[in-house]
Amino acid sequence: MIKTVKFGGSSLADAAQFQKVRDIVLADDSRRYVVVSAPGRRYKGDDKITDLLYECQSLAQSGAPFSHVFGRIERRFLQIRDKLKLNVDLKARLSDIYHMIESGASPDYAASRGEYLNALLMADYLGYRFVDASELICFHDDGTYDDEATQSRARMLKKFDRVVIPGFYGKRHDGSVRTFSRGGSDITGSIIARATESDLYENWTDVDGFLMADPRIVPEAKVIDTVTYSELRELSYMGATVLHEDSIFPVRKARIPINVRNTNRPEAKGTMIVPDVMSVPDRSCPLTGVAGSRGFTVITLQKDNMNSEPGFAYRLCGIFARHNVSLECMPCGIDTMSIVASDEQLKGKMDAIYHDIMAECVPDTVEIASCIALIASVGIGMVRSRGVAASLFSALSDAGINIRIIDQGTNEMNIIIGVEQRDFENAIKAIYLQFA
């Protein structure tokens, strides 16, 4: 058994958290590849190291002094090193980073140094080899991820027995540092698990696992024992945020399961994310989880005999593509078709889109409804369970919530509803309580 383990920022916020991580890693001999984030918040109101590094770069770029901010970064890392009695020469490395930022280093370079320094400390603490992510993770010069080159390079890790790798960044072919989007250490861990042919990817964070609903809305939400990649993809896309959405793909290709665990409660089993339904034990509940997001607009077209007009949907979708707006879903009827898109993508474009719709699709009417929230109820068990939709709609009706949109895929794994934004939290609660 070989495991790749990734620890998030809250798991590595200070020396006490470092000690927890070491105990977890050394408790299991199969935990051979360790990916680390930069130090996160130690308490409410504290700063994340990555935010401070971005601030330093921004100040330097504007010509303002940033030594007062960099001093806070320096103190955090030296505190960890000194409390753990480590031998890493941080002073020289911190000085190099300071001068690089002062000389005009990119935001990507500055932000990546939190993971870099934390990995140096963790490697020394564990007695493992340090391998810089810039030697492994490759990006094209346009900033897009280069999977082929990365997999070729990252396979070299298999010749080492124990390794610590910083997450979040790699380098372009021209040698410059490039980061993933925020939370990208999850992606690094997934890439390393695939390259090393790990049997399991453990993602250690500050929660007991993936919850059936957002605990800020449903405080009593239960932990999901097992979830498939497909279910997780649906839930993550709709707002569930335990894992970075893109971290699923590398391990999914290799059919490597992910175990989401809590650094502060290592005895908890967490959530196991598995390749397919064949790996899921029988569930008593057809619903795996419910998640959603606010901030959508619904554009509904009505036109007599729309269904007999070839190319209508093609022309309509082409308008949104031309304006660089992606579509969330497209509920439709015989003479009606709705487009659901995020307010963020529609910003400043709605008038032009409306003009093009009227000119190219010639609808009888167009109705635009804003302030809509989308909620996805997800579960592979839905396809084998009768009455799921009826129970869901009854729960919403009993809660006095009006449904504006209903959309269900043919695989019956996901029912999406649209409600007024003011009903968003009550709708989440009603669905959860109906099935939990």
Side-chain angles (χ1 to χ4, degrees):
M1 170 73 79
I2 298 173
K3 295 179 183 177
T4 293
V5 295
K6 177 262 173 180
F7 292 91
S10 60
S11 299
L12 297 162
D14 57 24
Q17 291 299 105
F18 262 66
Q19 290 173 328
K20 292 178 185 178
V21 168
R22 185 182 66 171
D23 290 345
I24 288 167
V25 172
L26 299 183
D28 186 340
D29 192 58
S30 63
R31 291 176 177 137
R32 291 175 51 184
Y33 304 102
V34 181
V35 177
V36 302
S37 297
R41 294 189 181 96
R42 295 161 293 183
Y43 47 81
K44 188 175 181 180
D46 193 21
D47 292 302
K48 294 181 178 180
I49 288 294
T50 303
D51 291 337
L52 295 176
L53 286 163
Y54 273 127
E55 186 177 352
C56 286
Q57 193 278 335
S58 178
L59 289 169
Q61 190 175 41
S62 66
F66 64 92
S67 58
H68 60 294
V69 180
F70 197 84
R72 291 155 64 188
I73 297 168
E74 188 174 46
R75 286 191 293 274
R76 282 281 296 275
F77 281 112
L78 291 175
Q79 227 173 42
I80 293 171
R81 185 198 66 177
D82 294 345
K83 285 189 176 180
L84 299 176
K85 297 180 171 59
L86 303 179
N87 297 313
V88 180
D89 182 9
L90 281 183
K91 285 283 188 179
R93 289 184 170 90
L94 285 162
S95 178
D96 289 343
I97 293 166
Y98 181 92
H99 290 302
M100 285 291 291
I101 295 173
E102 187 178 42
S103 302
S106 69
D108 282 15
Y109 170 83
S112 72
R113 298 304 87 184
E115 277 75 12
Y116 170 76
L117 293 172
N118 237 20
L120 286 170
L121 292 173
M122 182 55 71
D124 189 53
Y125 193 39
L126 291 172
Y128 283 18
R129 176 185 291 269
F130 168 83
V131 176
D132 196 342
S134 63
E135 298 177 31
L136 308 170
I137 309 298
C138 301
F139 292 88
H140 297 289
D141 288 338
D142 65 0
T144 56
Y145 170 64
D146 185 343
D147 184 60
E148 184 177 353
T150 296
Q151 287 301 311
S152 176
R153 288 194 179 196
R155 289 190 191 102
M156 58 89 78
L157 289 172
K158 291 193 286 185
K159 67 183 181 183
F160 302 128
D161 190 45
R162 313 280 165 181
V163 181
V164 175
I165 307 115
F168 187 41
Y169 71 93
K171 70 177 179 182
R172 295 180 177 89
H173 296 310
D174 66 7
S176 61
V177 172
R178 169 69 174 170
T179 61
F180 291 108
S181 58
R182 292 298 292 264
S185 292
D186 288 341
I187 305 174
T188 305
S190 185
I191 291 168
I192 298 304
R194 178 184 169 203
T196 58
E197 299 179 317
S198 293
D199 299 292
L200 181 66
Y201 170 33
E202 290 183 342
N203 192 296
W204 292 82
T205 180
D206 56 3
V207 294
D208 283 350
F210 212 94
L211 302 180
M212 283 186 67
D214 188 335
R216 294 169 296 185
I217 299 173
V218 185
E220 70 275 19
K222 298 176 183 176
V223 175
I224 303 170
D225 291 330
T226 309
V227 61
T228 65
Y229 289 133
S230 297
E231 291 172 308
L232 182 64
R233 165 83 171 142
E234 297 281 354
L235 291 167
S236 296
Y237 181 73
M238 288 304 295
T241 57
V242 172
L243 280 181
H244 191 294
E245 182 187 338
D246 292 337
S247 68
I248 300 169
F249 292 106
V251 286
R252 185 173 189 171
K253 287 180 181 178
R255 298 181 62 80
I256 299 169
I258 306 171
N259 192 191
V260 179
R261 304 281 295 274
N262 189 344
T263 303
N264 302 313
R265 277 180 24 93
E267 70 277 7
K269 293 181 179 179
T271 298
M272 189 67 75
I273 304 164
V274 296
D276 52 47
V277 65
M278 301 301 293
S279 309
V280 179
D282 290 338
R283 293 171 175 161
S284 58
C285 175
L287 185 75
T288 299
V290 55
S293 298
R294 300 175 176 87
F296 295 94
T297 292
V298 184
I299 302 102
T300 301
L301 286 67
Q302 192 277 328
K303 186 175 186 179
D304 288 344
N305 299 315
M306 180 190 295
N307 67 312
S308 61
E309 185 176 328
F312 187 90
Y314 174 80
R315 292 196 302 277
L316 179 60
C317 291
I319 292 168
F320 286 88
R322 199 162 60 241
H323 288 279
N324 199 31
V325 174
S326 58
L327 309 182
E328 298 296 325
C329 56
M330 287 184 61
C332 59
I334 295 175
D335 295 325
T336 61
M337 184 171 293
S338 296
I339 296 286
V340 184
S342 74
D343 294 344
E344 185 64 29
Q345 291 203 24
L346 289 170
K347 188 181 296 182
K349 303 175 182 178
M350 196 62 247
D351 288 346
I353 289 172
Y354 178 83
H355 176 271
D356 289 352
I357 288 173
M358 297 305 293
E360 297 177 36
C361 298
V362 197
D364 295 332
T365 61
V366 176
E367 178 185 342
I368 299 172
S370 56
C371 298
I372 298 295
L374 295 183
I375 298 171
S377 300
V378 178
I380 53 172
M382 288 181 177
V383 71
R384 298 187 297 272
S385 303
R386 295 180 181 178
V388 172
S391 296
L392 189 152
F393 299 143
S394 293
L396 294 171
S397 176
D398 291 344
I401 296 168
N402 182 44
I403 302 172
R404 298 292 303 270
I405 302 166
I406 301 171
D407 192 20
Q408 181 175 12
T410 55
N411 63 4
E412 297 187 51
M413 187 183 74
N414 188 5
I415 299 175
I416 296 176
I417 61 159
V419 300
E420 300 285 349
Q421 284 188 169
R422 63 174 179 268
D423 293 325
F424 175 69
E425 292 195 2
N426 286 337
I428 293 277
K429 291 175 186 175
I431 295 169
Y432 174 84
L433 292 172
Q434 181 70 19
F435 292 97

